[in-house]
Amino acid sequence: LRWSADGETIQTTWADGEETGPWVRKDAQGRRLEEGGLVAGVRTGTWTLWRVDGSKQGEGEYVAGKRAGTWRTISREGRTTSAAEYVKDCLHGSYLRFTPNGQMLARGRYEGGRRCGNWEFWNEDQSVNSEETGWYEADQRTGPLRTP
């Protein structure tokens, strides 16, 4: 068990001088904020984040200490508000963003951490956000949507 200056605690286990196994960070009031696993001090497997009210804030996988696969952020009501694909800690693959009630706000793809290809954006009223919607290259909008 470790303590920080602001009263947070970290529960972990040690083997051969390195943190290995379950890892849990709690705030000064004992509320769980983050939980996952370590192998030789490196984040591995599923990690989950919580808000101070106890609701789940997000979750995803670590492989060799880097985000991998789909990472989700979650509303207080339990709905997915974003889903992003990662490869070696870099946005790479599909990206979706939703309102807290589940309506689509954005859809596109990342390559090497930059938006690429068709990106679609909607306003809260579900009208198309034509200023942002379009074709992207190296994270810059370069024109209108393209048809495959």
Side-chain angles (χ1 to χ4, degrees):
L1 190 64
R2 294 185 302 186
W3 286 272
S4 64
D6 60 3
E8 287 188 353
T9 60
I10 294 175
Q11 296 172 320
T12 188
T13 55
W14 293 79
D16 298 323
E18 296 183 293
E19 292 177 285
T20 298
W23 187 97
V24 180
R25 181 172 62 99
K26 296 181 178 182
D27 68 11
Q29 288 71 42
R31 295 176 293 221
R32 184 174 50 178
L33 299 174
E34 188 176 16
E35 181 175 35
L38 298 175
V39 173
V42 177
R43 289 178 182 227
T44 304
T46 301
W47 278 70
T48 306
L49 302 156
W50 286 272
R51 295 178 186 86
V52 294
D53 67 8
S55 63
K56 190 184 287 188
Q57 182 176 1
E59 64 186 358
E61 298 287 322
Y62 277 96
V63 174
K66 299 188 183 296
R67 287 176 287 183
T70 302
W71 276 76
R72 297 184 324 126
T73 57
I74 303 165
S75 71
R76 282 187 167 77
E77 298 74 34
R79 292 188 179 104
T80 297
T81 54
S82 71
E85 296 288 326
Y86 283 85
V87 174
K88 295 182 180 178
D89 223 21
C90 184
L91 282 165
H92 193 91
S94 66
Y95 176 85
L96 302 169
R97 190 173 73 231
F98 305 93
T99 65
N101 64 3
Q103 295 177 306
M104 183 76 68
L105 287 175
R107 176 174 51 210
R109 293 190 57 75
Y110 279 94
E111 286 185 9
R114 295 176 176 210
R115 287 179 284 187
C116 67
N118 280 328
W119 273 79
E120 298 173 274
F121 294 90
W122 293 268
N123 299 309
E124 293 282 336
D125 66 4
Q126 290 301 282
S127 61
V128 173
N129 180 332
S130 57
E131 290 181 26
E132 291 188 67
T133 293
W135 183 263
Y136 281 76
E137 295 176 12
D139 219 25
Q140 299 295 316
R141 186 179 182 276
T142 60
L145 290 173
R146 296 184 185 173
T147 54

